[in-house]
Amino acid sequence: MASTPLTSTAEEKRAALRARLSSVAARDETAERYRRHANPYIARMLDGLGIDVHYVRGQGTRLYDGAGNEYLDFAGAYGALPFGHNPPEMWKAISAVRDSGEPSITLPSVLGASALLAERLAAVAPGHLDQVWQCNSGAEAVEAALKLARAATGRRLVVSTRNSFHGKTLGALSATGRPRYQTPFGAPSAGFHHIPFGDPEALRQIFGEHPEDIAAFIVEPVQGEGGIVPAPPGYLATARELCTRYGAKLIVDEVQTGLGRTGRLFACEHHDVVPDIMPLAKALGGGMVPIGAVVFGQDSLTEDFGLRHTSTFGGNAFCSRVGVGAVELLTADDRALVRQVARRGDHLLAGLREMASRHPELVADVRGQGLLLGVQLSDDPDLHARQGLFRSLADQEGLAGFLCGYLLRNEGIRLAPAYFANSVLRVEPPLNVSEADCDTLLGALDRGLDVIERGDSARFFAHLLPASERPASERPASERPAPAAFPEEDASAAPRPTRLRPREGEPRWAFIAHPTDLASYESYDGRLGLPGEQVRVLFDRMNQCRNVDTAAAMLVGRCRVETDTGESSYGEIFALPYGAQRLLDMPSAQSTALVQEAVDDAVARGAQLVGLGAYTSVITANATALRDVPVPVTTGNAYTVAAAVDGLEEAARQQDIELDEACCVVLGGAGAIGLASSLLLSEKVGRLVLVGNPAHRARSERRLAAALESVVGHLREADDAPHAGALARSVRTRASSGASARAIAADLVEQGLLTASVDAEAVLPAGDLVLAATSTPDQLIQPELVRRGAAVCDVSQPPNVGPRLKAARPDLRVVAGGLVQLPGGRDLGVDFGVPSGVTYACTAETMVLAHRLHDPVVSHGDKLSVDLVRMLRDEARKLGYRLYLPTDTDHQRQGGPHA
């Protein structure tokens, strides 16, 4: 990538720097203006991918930004840039219009420039196509083609193909074969039917079913937005034969492929097929003006179309003269430029395939015709081992888009992904691109794939970070020398895992969560080499790139769990790319919709059970807000309770705390996890303090009062075990008098055996045992508040215990509760931010319940059954899950992205 030339004097250097900073400020101002007044959604997407460059000059195949940086344009405006930027021949045509004084818009009248363009197009069009109707865009050309066909045949049914793209006006969008782009706009309209592309049998079937109803079959000779997919040999010929036999019109959509793009003037010429109707646009404007046209035979023209389908701006002299110039340039010297396209396309295709052979797993396919080529990247996340971002983007077919940003910012190469096939890089340069430019692209793309293949996420995503937060080795593109060869892979790189796929009949589950704190952001992709705050900045920027085809949650891993009983299950783990506070700050409908979409996507991928983790259960009211999910959904809360209680009891044992007289403080005591934990702990402890949220005092006090009665009711029904604590013994003594649960609770409160509070600071010092089970992201447990020698168990996500507590209070035993060891200590191959062979209890609950699909039992809603908690504990032990108490070092890692 060329940059502002280095100067020899300090003053010149300062001047260059000032110019660059001025350019950046101008770019930011322009970007803000575009975001505010033009299209905020596109602006966010451009920013998220790192392709938000404001170009101030273009010449040939080059573009330049305000700082003088040079970019080689291989995106080519989706085919609308046949001769590069600002071609002199087109400016000559424009100047001629100015100099002649020819009026541009003169309807109603005889349009001389329009007539000349029509004559020139008719002269080069295939077969009998000698009629031309002009408009302003490709979508309008398709609209006109559809109306021509319906008027000529008297029929209404239009057949098109899936994954096709024909434009965004309502009729063209109805023909477009992508439901997610149609539905928001009430498309398709009546009278459209979609069949698989390239399948002659499907074509024969639809004509056989509707022999007298089909007005037209519309098809692209190369599906562009569908992934650069050429029609297979014989397909268009079959379409031609069927349309002729059944009296339908064959519309070959050449908006993108026409006028030289594929190495012939029209792509249908590769198939020796003459359509009835042929929409054109893009290249017809010479890269300078918007213009479209429909070329057709007289047998498709009717009085209705001729008199009732007109256009105010269609056929204007200004655009028509440019169109004439474009046709002349394409046909000059016996179509020399078009023949050069064929040669250049062969060279580029061969080079891309050779490059693909060096990256056989990363590049799935290279295909296309002429200078309309596609490089399809693999969407297999297993290719990227533990590289969190690469793995997730591959699964979401988002890697190609971010590779475009990397190439733009690091190599000065401009590419774009296909619209409907986001894993496909569209290679579509101007038709007059040089062989040297093609070789430049090949070298840059090869280096970019090297970066991905080696898992160097720090280098790949550095341009998305603010300059002050980039790794020291990453300078802005304008200050970076030409790319050097990538260093040899270091020996510490993680080995590529075995590709996992579900076995036939194997239970399938999914688990959905999100980053919970900065530590979990940091653990998501260790090779970024960035602190959690900077990773969060990166995530926030990347989140701007979501589109209608992007899943709500990122796939972060696949795993197979094998139990001690010889059973196995297959799971997929997903993470919403939003932290805890971001989810809490969202409107509840928005955050719930994100989880709903993630659950629906997981089910669509084959999950028979879905588990929620961290705030995904909180924001969905413990899964009760989810609708129409055809499989069981579990919150993970029940087994979290079991692990939390076991963890706190083990910590108490290590601190030599006698449970039966100990005071236990439960933060979040009225919540689902806190209350169920309190019920179990109440059987063994001497005193119990339940703490609620002071932010909603009145509501918390009501819930805490109900929780106290629940504790009493539970103890009245519990077995009279010999290890019962003072609290349980007191309840049973009072229960014999026949007093109500409310009266007993009030008596116990007065005696100080049972307490409810919304003031954690006031009651924490009394706790021999402290269990944190809140849904707040705050670190509530400060060193000065905890009793000497206490046992603390934290199951909150994000943690309520911060690093200060353990550093300042070595007398305490602090455990990250809710951690369990997997059967046999097997590694899942997924970085949860916990030691190998360990996972969170909420995740383990999903794994355990996968073996009960025949009799599904899940934790759901605000109230957890103690019987469910005990059942899950027993089931987990039978399968080989064991309580895990982390060491101090392990605890520092606690809080992984899926906690």
Side-chain angles (χ1 to χ4, degrees):
M1 178 179 192
S3 61
T4 303
L6 295 177
T7 55
S8 57
T9 69
E11 181 54 34
E12 286 173 323
K13 290 181 180 179
R14 285 194 292 272
L17 178 59
R18 284 195 298 271
R20 185 175 296 125
L21 292 176
S22 174
S23 169
V24 169
R27 184 199 68 189
D28 290 344
E29 180 182 341
T30 301
E32 176 61 19
R33 185 182 300 123
Y34 185 82
R35 183 199 65 78
R36 184 174 297 174
H37 300 294
N39 191 325
Y41 297 98
I42 293 294
R44 286 199 293 266
M45 183 196 71
L46 296 175
D47 179 68
L49 290 173
I51 59 176
D52 54 329
V53 176
H54 174 215
Y55 302 104
V56 299
R57 186 167 65 90
Q59 188 64 49
T61 55
R62 264 61 178 180
L63 285 165
Y64 302 86
D65 64 21
N69 296 311
E70 181 183 284
Y71 304 85
L72 179 57
D73 191 352
F74 265 76
Y78 309 114
L81 203 67
F83 317 122
H85 298 278
N86 288 306
E89 298 87 353
M90 297 300 100
W91 275 114
K92 183 179 179 180
I94 291 170
S95 297
V97 175
R98 179 195 61 196
D99 295 342
S100 70
E102 181 180 13
S104 189
I105 304 172
T106 58
L107 287 177
S109 71
V110 174
L111 306 179
S114 175
L116 180 60
L117 176 58
E119 181 183 69
R120 296 294 171 84
L121 286 173
V124 298
H128 65 292
L129 308 185
D130 61 357
Q131 301 292 304
V132 179
W133 182 86
Q134 291 173 49
C135 55
N136 310 286
S137 68
E140 287 183 65
V142 170
E143 290 284 340
L146 299 176
K147 293 171 76 173
L148 269 166
R150 283 179 167 176
T153 62
R155 302 170 179 178
R156 293 294 175 263
L157 182 59
V158 174
V159 177
S160 60
T161 63
R162 296 171 192 162
N163 284 328
S164 61
F165 180 78
H166 298 290
K168 297 173 184 174
T169 51
L170 191 57
L173 184 61
S174 295
T176 292
R178 195 70 167 185
R180 293 186 74 173
Y181 285 79
Q182 296 172 319
T183 303
F185 307 106
S189 299
F192 289 85
H193 186 87
H194 303 88
I195 61 174
F197 177 72
D199 183 348
E201 290 308 314
L203 197 54
R204 292 187 184 98
Q205 180 178 345
I206 191 66
F207 272 99
E209 292 173 353
H210 301 275
E212 298 180 357
D213 300 327
I214 298 175
F217 173 54
I218 181 169
V219 64
E220 300 162 276
V222 179
Q223 282 197 334
E225 309 312 327
I228 319 299
V229 183
Y235 183 61
L236 292 189
T238 299
R240 173 70 280 173
E241 187 273 324
L242 289 169
C243 286
T244 301
R245 185 197 310 174
Y246 289 98
K249 297 297 181 180
L250 175 61
I251 304 173
V252 175
D253 183 347
E254 296 253 18
V255 167
Q256 186 165 191
T257 56
L259 299 173
R261 176 56 56 184
T262 66
R264 303 289 290 269
L265 197 58
F266 302 101
C268 60
E269 294 174 349
H270 292 284
H271 303 266
D272 293 323
V273 165
V274 177
D276 297 297
I277 302 169
M278 187 170 65
L280 302 172
K282 295 192 184 294
L284 188 58
M288 299 296 291
V289 300
I291 184 172
V294 186
V295 185
F296 54 98
Q298 294 186 32
D299 55 349
S300 295
L301 180 61
T302 63
E303 182 178 343
D304 283 331
F305 182 86
L307 295 179
R308 293 177 174 82
H309 188 79
T310 57
S311 169
T312 299
F313 297 107
N316 70 81
F318 182 80
C319 293
S320 296
R321 293 294 179 188
V322 174
V324 169
V327 174
E328 289 179 347
L329 192 54
L330 286 165
T331 57
D333 205 9
D334 193 25
R335 304 184 182 181
L337 179 56
V338 178
R339 287 184 280 111
Q340 178 182 291
V341 169
R343 295 193 301 272
R344 204 72 81 230
D346 289 344
H347 173 79
L348 190 52
L349 182 62
L352 289 170
R353 285 177 172 164
E354 181 183 350
M355 178 212 65
S357 70
R358 293 192 291 275
H359 307 278
E361 292 189 316
L362 188 55
V363 179
D365 193 18
V366 175
R367 55 181 178 259
Q369 278 185 317
L371 290 176
L372 179 56
L373 303 174
V375 178
Q376 182 170 346
L377 302 185
S378 171
D379 60 2
D380 184 355
D382 290 341
L383 294 176
H384 302 284
R386 292 178 180 266
Q387 300 310 308
L389 282 174
F390 287 142
R391 177 177 54 201
S392 298
L393 289 174
D395 179 72
Q396 291 194 326
E397 297 188 2
L399 198 50
F402 284 95
L403 179 55
C404 291
Y406 173 84
L407 291 172
L408 185 72
R409 297 293 189 172
N410 292 271
E411 298 273 5
I413 299 291
R414 189 166 182 255
L415 287 173
Y419 197 44
F420 293 159
N422 294 331
S423 63
V424 177
L425 289 167
R426 176 207 306 266
V427 181
E428 195 170 2
L431 302 181
N432 54 0
V433 66
S434 70
E435 188 171 307
D437 285 347
C438 292
D439 291 340
T440 298
L441 167 77
L442 293 170
L445 185 53
D446 192 34
R447 289 189 292 273
L449 294 174
D450 256 346
V451 174
I452 298 173
E453 205 161 55
R454 295 173 186 270
D456 191 353
S457 49
R459 180 174 180 177
F460 189 80
F461 296 105
H463 64 280
L464 295 177
L465 289 167
S468 61
E469 297 182 352
R470 296 176 193 172
S473 61
E474 295 295 335
R475 301 196 302 278
S478 59
E479 301 173 10
R480 190 175 304 126
F486 199 96
E488 289 300 315
E489 181 70 276
D490 61 75
S492 64
R496 185 160 293 164
T498 303
R499 297 184 188 178
L500 287 176
R501 297 294 183 270
R503 298 167 180 162
E504 186 175 353
E506 188 174 40
R508 296 185 60 176
W509 52 269
F511 184 73
I512 299 167
H514 60 87
T516 55
D517 57 9
L518 294 182
S520 63
Y521 275 104
E522 188 171 336
S523 71
Y524 181 70
D525 189 333
R527 296 195 72 184
L528 282 170
L530 297 172
E533 179 61 41
Q534 292 182 28
V535 179
R536 182 168 65 184
V537 170
L538 180 61
F539 267 52
D540 287 347
R541 185 167 181 180
M542 293 172 69
N543 282 342
Q544 298 175 156
C545 303
R546 285 198 75 225
N547 61 43
V548 296
D549 281 338
T550 303
M554 304 184 298
L555 178 73
V556 296
R558 296 169 171 164
C559 58
R560 171 164 289 109
V561 182
E562 306 209 4
T563 70
D564 288 357
T565 58
E567 302 170 75
S568 71
S569 66
Y570 170 85
E572 295 185 332
I573 300 168
F574 303 87
L576 294 172
Y578 301 95
Q581 193 62 56
R582 286 286 302 279
L583 288 171
L584 288 179
D585 291 342
M586 284 182 189
S588 59
Q590 180 184 353
S591 58
T592 299
L594 283 172
V595 180
Q596 179 81 58
E597 185 180 343
V599 170
D600 292 342
D601 287 342
V603 173
R605 293 171 65 113
Q608 299 166 288
L609 169 77
V610 179
L612 304 181
Y615 280 27
T616 60
S617 55
V618 174
I619 61 181
T620 59
N622 292 313
T624 59
L626 299 176
R627 297 288 179 263
D628 302 321
V629 182
V631 303
V633 178
T634 192
T635 63
N637 288 343
Y639 193 42
T640 296
V641 169
V645 172
D646 288 349
L648 186 59
E649 289 186 14
E650 177 60 23
R653 186 191 65 77
Q654 294 180 17
Q655 292 290 81
D656 294 324
I657 298 172
E658 297 293 336
L659 293 179
D660 62 344
E661 297 297 331
C663 175
C664 179
V665 177
V666 180
L667 302 178
I673 293 175
L675 177 56
S677 300
S678 297
L679 297 181
L680 290 171
L681 289 166
S682 70
E683 299 173 2
K684 300 181 180 181
V685 300
R687 297 169 56 204
L688 186 63
V689 181
L690 306 186
V691 183
N693 186 352
H696 308 284
R697 179 177 292 270
R699 179 174 178 268
S700 293
E701 287 176 347
R702 290 194 299 271
R703 295 184 68 197
L704 287 169
L708 296 184
E709 290 187 36
S710 295
V711 169
V712 172
H714 171 72
L715 291 175
R716 290 174 66 171
E717 301 297 327
D719 294 336
D720 189 9
H723 55 267
L727 176 61
R729 295 195 299 270
S730 296
V731 169
R732 288 165 190 156
T733 298
R734 288 166 171 78
S736 62
S737 66
S740 67
R742 178 172 296 183
I744 295 174
D747 190 17
L748 293 172
V749 168
E750 187 175 339
Q751 295 296 315
L753 295 177
L754 196 56
T755 304
S757 175
V758 293
D759 188 350
E761 291 188 9
V763 297
L764 268 173
D768 302 296
L769 311 174
V770 177
L771 176 65
T774 78
S775 57
T776 176
D778 301 325
Q779 295 180 356
L780 300 177
I781 306 177
Q782 297 299 318
E784 64 275 10
L785 298 177
V786 186
R787 189 171 190 165
R788 183 167 183 79
V792 180
C793 179
D794 186 7
V795 295
S796 303
Q797 287 298 333
N800 289 165
V801 170
R804 281 187 60 227
L805 183 69
K806 298 190 72 174
R809 295 294 303 275
D811 60 296
L812 305 177
R813 179 66 172 113
V814 182
V815 300
L819 294 179
V820 295
Q821 188 166 327
L822 291 160
R826 299 178 184 90
D827 183 17
L828 288 179
V830 180
D831 189 355
F832 279 100
V834 294
S836 174
V838 176
T839 192
Y840 290 91
C842 53
T843 316
E845 175 175 301
T846 308
M847 300 171 179
V848 171
L849 291 177
H851 299 291
R852 292 187 58 96
L853 293 176
H854 61 286
D855 182 21
V857 179
V858 296
S859 55
H860 190 269
D862 288 336
K863 293 187 177 180
L864 292 175
S865 160
V866 171
D867 290 338
L868 174 61
V869 172
R870 288 177 170 140
M871 182 274 287
L872 269 171
R873 176 191 282 158
D874 293 342
E875 289 271 332
R877 285 174 178 168
K878 180 182 71 175
L879 295 171
Y881 294 85
R882 297 290 184 268
L883 175 67
Y884 179 80
L885 291 177
T887 65
D888 289 352
T889 301
D890 293 336
H891 182 67
Q892 295 304 315
R893 300 185 70 238
Q894 185 257 350
H898 332 294

